[in-house]
Amino acid sequence: MGVERRSGKPVRRVRMLAVAMVSALALAGCTSGDSVVVNTPDAESSTSALAPETSGSTDPDASTNGYSGFWAVADAQPETLATGLESPWSVIPYRDGYLVSQRDDGEIVYVDADGSQTAIGEVEGVVSGGESGLHGLALLDDGGQTYLYAYHGAEDDNRVVRMTLDELELGASESIVTGIPRANTHNGGRIHFGPDGYLYISTGDAQQRHAAQDRDSLAGKILRVDAEGNAAPDNPFDNLVYSLGHRNVQGFAWTSDGIMWASEFGQNTWDELNVIEAGGNYGWPTVEGIAGEEGFIDPRIQWSPSEASPSGMAAKGDTLFLATLRGQQLWVIDTAAGEVGGKPVEFVPEGVPARIRDAGIDSDGSLLILTNNTDGRGSPSDEDDRLLRIELTEA
């Protein structure tokens, strides 16, 4: 296999590695060892909207592609698709391979089906530092033209940009949402096109805690815009804001019933898994976790941050696959169940605990996992970071 270079970086070759894992059961309980309860809402609680006039999304997380039911990790070793990634943050299928964003250097890396890697370009204007840099990716096919969307830190803010993508040629960057507050931590950064065709954007509170309760601030929110960055016409506050009261959402996905779920970093007490409703207030910084206070929506599940610290999330059927950083585990959640218990799946590449940054569903229905040991907080091995693929089985 020849070595290809784009943007001055060599292509790396794939290596197949043995990865130890605990067999999948179901969702583990909190640190107390008690089981947790998922109060699954009726389908009517999921909001819908008129689709925008642009053509449909090619984002694989916009829907569960016709799958239903509960899915579990198959009793097999994960397959390593790529090694040597540098601070990877987001992975999405593209053509016969995958696009990966690298937080610190601002590069988009294409991992081909044969495992070769091509750095197809740096996103213009990325300014990295602390936990900010290049974050989430999403794809849109608009009348035959493919656009790659990216969330990234700039000099003074976080923003969402889009670029044309022709084969592996990345076009110039066009800002569509700017002015999202930026800080050393709590920058949010996940983006997906939803089943309604609009782009959803998760932001952090950027250490401006009370801005999360300000409807006119873009901090601590989930935003909803069209393909050009305009507010969706039926947004609840007549601006970009879809939901508020968030501390730091880095993962969200839609299950087969159309319900939107989002994971949220807690502070000292509780991480959260929330059902997202238009206009919903999720309490931060007034409350954290299940509080039962009027005016705020309680999470469906809560964990100790030491058990999870959640990041990216994927959905297949009624099942959520939640990547965790401090927890170094994949949480498998059956949203159609009442009380759930059991254990999460652990991934330990060559004996090195794996912080997991993102999870996604591949075009064939398998699960993609992006490790994150090279972001300054992990203990990387020589071959970190890695992109893994895991077979799923219907349970």
Side-chain angles (χ1 to χ4, degrees):
M1 186 191 310
V3 175
E4 181 180 356
R5 292 178 180 268
R6 289 175 186 259
S7 303
K9 291 197 70 174
V11 172
R12 302 183 183 94
R13 303 174 193 272
V14 69
R15 300 187 183 184
M16 304 304 296
L17 303 173
V19 181
M21 61 178 261
V22 176
S23 60
L25 296 175
L27 175 66
C30 301
T31 52
S32 65
D34 296 332
S35 60
V36 292
V37 175
V38 182
N39 297 313
T40 306
D42 295 332
E44 286 76 13
S45 66
S46 175
T47 57
S48 61
L50 294 175
E53 293 182 359
T54 55
S55 65
S57 165
T58 58
D59 187 335
D61 288 326
S63 70
T64 55
N65 297 320
Y67 295 106
S68 61
F70 177 65
W71 294 80
V73 174
D75 186 16
Q77 297 291 340
E79 174 189 5
T80 297
L81 300 175
T83 61
L85 298 167
E86 300 171 8
S87 299
W89 212 92
S90 180
V91 57
I92 53 175
Y94 176 63
R95 300 171 68 207
D96 294 326
Y98 313 94
L99 295 173
V100 176
S101 64
Q102 297 194 149
R103 187 191 69 184
D104 293 344
D105 62 14
E107 285 194 334
I108 304 293
V109 175
Y110 177 69
V111 179
D112 206 340
D114 64 4
S116 62
Q117 296 178 35
T118 304
I120 65 173
E122 294 183 14
V123 177
E124 299 171 25
V126 172
V127 178
S128 300
E131 294 178 358
S132 186
L134 179 58
H135 296 281
L137 302 176
L139 284 168
L140 178 70
D141 184 358
D142 186 6
Q145 175 63 66
T146 299
Y147 290 95
L148 178 64
Y149 289 71
Y151 182 113
H152 73 80
E155 188 69 38
D156 300 313
D157 64 354
N158 289 305
R159 56 184 54 193
V160 177
V161 300
R162 72 173 183 175
M163 302 148 282
T164 58
L165 184 60
D166 296 312
E167 298 296 327
L168 295 183
E169 296 296 326
L170 193 63
S173 175
E174 172 194 3
S175 295
I176 65 165
V177 177
T178 61
I180 301 170
R182 170 191 172 141
N184 189 56
T185 59
H186 305 184
N187 291 287
R190 196 68 60 185
I191 59 175
H192 293 303
F193 280 94
D196 56 11
Y198 290 106
L199 181 67
Y200 290 73
I201 304 162
S202 70
T203 75
D205 70 3
Q207 303 177 12
Q208 303 172 28
R209 293 161 55 101
H210 293 286
Q213 289 294 320
D214 181 354
R215 294 180 180 181
D216 295 322
S217 170
L218 300 184
K221 306 295 190 299
I222 293 177
L223 313 178
R224 179 170 172 261
V225 302
D226 66 15
E228 286 75 40
N230 305 303
D234 58 347
N235 277 359
F237 307 119
D238 297 322
N239 59 12
L240 304 186
V241 175
Y242 189 72
S243 63
L244 70 157
H246 299 289
R247 182 175 181 268
N248 194 18
V249 172
Q250 288 192 2
F252 58 89
W254 290 263
T255 43
S256 59
D257 49 14
I259 292 173
M260 181 181 180
W261 300 79
S263 61
E264 183 152 352
F265 272 93
Q267 185 178 19
N268 298 317
T269 309
W270 297 116
D271 292 332
E272 300 178 357
L273 179 68
N274 288 295
V275 168
I276 302 301
E277 302 175 5
N281 188 333
Y282 293 83
W284 178 255
T286 307
V287 297
E288 179 181 353
I290 298 172
E293 289 199 21
E294 185 175 357
F296 301 132
I297 299 175
D298 280 342
R300 301 308 169 105
I301 302 178
Q302 60 185 22
W303 303 269
S304 163
S306 64
E307 291 291 304
S309 296
S311 188
M313 184 164 63
K316 183 174 182 178
D318 299 321
T319 308
L320 297 174
F321 298 92
L322 178 63
T324 73
L325 294 165
R326 284 180 64 190
Q328 299 177 350
Q329 298 166 329
L330 173 74
W331 293 76
V332 183
I333 304 163
D334 183 1
T335 63
E339 187 171 312
V340 278
K343 294 183 180 180
V345 179
E346 298 179 351
F347 297 98
V348 189
E350 297 208 331
V352 178
R355 289 163 51 85
I356 305 178
R357 175 61 72 180
D358 197 17
I361 302 299
D362 203 349
S363 55
D364 64 358
S366 58
L367 183 70
L368 299 172
I369 291 292
L370 197 60
T371 70
N372 203 198
N373 288 331
T374 59
D375 69 345
R377 294 192 174 183
S379 300
S381 71
D382 292 339
E383 295 188 321
D384 279 332
D385 267 311
R386 312 167 194 231
L387 174 61
L388 308 175
R389 181 168 57 201
I390 305 161
E391 294 299 322
L392 299 177
T393 183
E394 191 168 9

